[in-house]
């Protein structure tokens, strides 16, 4: 498909995802989310579960290395178990965050970090792979990150989400367009990679994308029914646990957490499984097709619908703020077409444990 129609094809789903629906619905979702501050002091503390999380963390640390494949990021052994996927208290109803359902997960391996620019460069230099953004010749970039020179050349914006601009020449190597580079960000998450690109990388690495259920189970780090990978409070003891947006979106990014854009994949404390930046920093692709209605029944290793038009992404990004995109929660979810790419979307890989489960 030619580049211009490629862009059109990708524009509608992208704006649905990145802004339009979010902007249109922010009245409802932000009302409900402001109504419940999200710190939920009233929730049970679940000491037994915290202990379990610490135990898993130790096991995960011991497994580091054994699950490591040459040349790629380290993996963590995630113990099998049963958890509550989704939530009975959806913050963003139309995303299909509910209902809460019991899900059994076999043990597997999960990348400890988001796939970094360095990891992706190894893949590209050994295979010659060309990403979809490079083939299409453009990708979506957050306006706040662009130079005046690049902005001056762009006349097309997404009316409902004017902070997203299609930038010619934006790609994983040039995240803010041709005049930008990743040389000082090799340890940051790779961006502007489509779902198809992510699958290609994971396959090359002898891995695969995680299912949405595996991703969410990993995000929760052994804790039950918490908002975030570390608990219910966004900033325990005033500390930042994730790279999101502080200040007024989209005009004033105060970067109180230390990062205006992406952070190194090893920044911020890990969760109970030893995984970093599950929420915030870069959105992460999963292998599932997108749907918003889920069976409330118990499931074993669910893989999502058998077909669809969009793939599920999880975790939110450095652009997420409670006022417009309260999606840096484990139960939160969103979607893009498999050929979409943007300056806040990356991935990490998973792998099966060797032998029978
Ligand atoms: C951004 O927000 C901070 C904190 O609210 C404020 O101190 C600062 O003046 C604001 N900057 C701009 C450019 O509006
Ligand atoms: Ca930040
Ligand atoms: Ca992330």
């Amino acid at each position: 498909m030619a580049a211009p129609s490629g862009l059109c094809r990708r524009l509608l789903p992208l704006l649905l995802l990145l802004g339009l629906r979010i902007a249109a619905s922010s009245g409802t979702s932000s009302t409900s989310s402001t109504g419940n501050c999200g710190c939920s002091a009233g929730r049970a503390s679940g000491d037994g579960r915290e202990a379990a999380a610490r135990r898993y963390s130790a096991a995960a640390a011991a497994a580091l290395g054994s699950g490591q494949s040459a040349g790629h990021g380290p993996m963590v052994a995630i113990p099998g178990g049963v958890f509550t996927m989704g939530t009975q208290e959806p913050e963003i109803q139309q995303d299909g965050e509910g209902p809460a359902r019991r899900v059994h997960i076999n043990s597997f391996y999960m990348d400890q970090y988001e796939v970094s620019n360095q990891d992706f460069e190894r893949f590209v230099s050994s295979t010659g792979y060309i990403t979809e953004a490079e083939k299409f010749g453009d990708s979506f970039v957050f306006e706040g990150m662009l130079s005046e020179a690049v902005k001056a050349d762009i006349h097309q914006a997404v009316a409902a989400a004017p902070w997203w601009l299609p930038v010619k020449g934006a790609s994983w190597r040039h995240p803010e367009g041709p005049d930008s580079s990743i040389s000082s960000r090799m340890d940051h998450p790779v961006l502007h990679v489509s779902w198809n690109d992510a699958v290609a990388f994971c396959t090359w690495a002898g891995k695969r994308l995680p299912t949405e259920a595996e991703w969410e189970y990993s995000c929760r780090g052994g804790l039950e029914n918490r908002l975030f990978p570390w608990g219910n409070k966004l900033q325990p003891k005033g500390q930042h646990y994730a790279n999101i947006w502080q200040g007024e979106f989209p005009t004033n990014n105060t970067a109180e957490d230390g990062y205006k854009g992406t952070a190194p994949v090893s920044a911020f404390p890990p969760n109970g499984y030893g995984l970093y930046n599950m929420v915030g920093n870069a959105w992460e692709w999963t292998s599932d097709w997108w749907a918003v209605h889920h069976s409330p029944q118990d499931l074993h290793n669910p893989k999502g619908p058998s077909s669809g038009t969009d793939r599920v992404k999880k975790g939110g990004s450095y652009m997420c703020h409670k006022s417009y995109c309260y999606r840096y929660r484990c139960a939160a979810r969103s979607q893009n077409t498999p050929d979409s790419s943007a300056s806040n979307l990356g991935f990490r890989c998973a792998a099966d444990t060797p032998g029978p489960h």
Side-chain angles (χ1 to χ4, degrees):
M1 182 166 290
S5 59
L7 178 59
C8 292
R9 185 160 54 101
R10 292 182 296 148
L11 191 59
L12 181 63
L14 196 70
L15 54 92
L16 284 176
L17 299 165
L18 297 177
L20 185 68
R21 265 180 355 128
I22 300 164
S25 65
S26 67
T28 350
S29 56
S30 69
T31 310
S32 64
S33 52
T34 347
N36 160 17
C37 76
C39 2
S40 300
R43 286 180 210 234
S45 77
D47 282 336
R49 292 178 196 130
E50 314 271 351
R54 276 196 300 277
R55 213 165 50 239
Y56 290 145
S57 179
L64 272 183
S66 65
Q68 193 164 349
S69 51
H72 328 300
M75 300 192 91
V76 162
I78 308 295
V82 57
F83 81 113
T84 305
M85 184 168 175
T87 173
Q88 283 304 102
E89 302 166 69
E91 298 282 354
I92 306 176
Q93 192 87 40
Q94 72 274 17
D95 282 354
E97 295 179 2
R101 55 256 187 225
R102 296 295 282 171
V103 170
H104 302 255
I105 296 286
N106 289 348
S107 59
F108 64 104
Y109 286 103
M110 188 72 159
D111 278 354
Q112 189 171 22
Y113 308 116
E114 294 153 330
V115 171
S116 69
N117 284 319
Q118 192 153 18
D119 298 330
F120 204 78
E121 175 154 78
R122 255 181 234 127
F123 163 57
V124 167
S125 58
S126 88
T127 60
Y129 186 84
I130 297 169
T131 61
E132 293 201 281
E134 291 168 294
K135 285 182 205 157
F136 286 123
D138 59 66
S139 189
F140 279 87
V141 184
F142 172 53
E143 192 251 359
M145 297 289 180
L146 291 174
S147 68
E148 291 306 321
V150 168
K151 271 192 282 190
D153 261 359
I154 300 170
H155 307 291
Q156 176 188 4
V158 180
W163 49 85
W164 282 109
L165 296 179
V167 174
K168 282 199 178 58
S171 71
W172 73 277
R173 279 190 200 281
H174 305 289
E176 296 84 32
D179 65 350
S180 66
S181 133
I182 52 170
S183 61
S184 62
R185 292 178 275 178
M186 295 310 287
D187 58 348
H188 288 220
V190 64
L191 305 172
H192 297 293
V193 280
S194 68
W195 185 89
N196 296 313
D197 299 331
V199 167
F201 175 96
C202 292
T203 304
W204 168 77
K207 305 178 184 179
R208 58 176 173 79
L209 281 178
T211 64
E212 180 181 8
E214 287 172 335
W215 192 99
E216 187 168 328
Y217 182 68
S218 300
C219 183
R220 296 179 179 282
L223 303 175
E224 268 284 311
N225 281 318
R226 298 303 205 279
L227 290 167
F228 310 118
W230 55 88
N232 278 333
K233 219 177 151 185
L234 180 60
Q235 288 182 247
K237 302 199 172 87
Q239 261 214 307
H240 290 283
Y241 275 70
N243 181 15
I244 55 175
W245 183 292
Q246 295 87 35
E248 195 78 22
F249 186 88
T251 51
N252 186 356
N253 184 350
T254 63
E256 258 169 54
D257 58 21
Y259 303 94
K260 231 179 154 92
T262 53
V265 297
S266 60
F268 300 97
N271 75 359
Y273 288 154
L275 303 170
Y276 289 75
N277 291 297
M278 292 298 293
V279 299
N281 215 25
W283 277 101
E284 299 175 25
W285 289 113
T286 74
S287 57
D288 291 29
W289 288 111
W290 170 261
V292 293
H293 298 289
H294 315 290
S295 160
Q297 284 165 348
D298 274 33
L299 293 168
H300 287 77
N301 305 300
K303 291 177 162 42
S306 54
S307 64
T309 55
D310 293 340
R311 297 288 183 173
V312 176
K313 63 179 183 180
K314 297 282 280 184
S317 79
Y318 65 88
M319 284 178 60
C320 282
H321 185 274
K322 194 167 181 180
S323 70
Y324 96 107
C325 173
Y326 185 27
R327 291 188 171 84
Y328 42 90
R329 294 169 292 112
C330 294
R333 53 207 300 276
S334 191
Q335 86 278 30
N336 281 90
T337 56
D339 60 356
S340 295
S341 61
S343 60
N344 64 349
L345 178 48
F347 68 104
R348 78 180 71 207
C349 311
D352 294 326
T353 51
H357 296 291

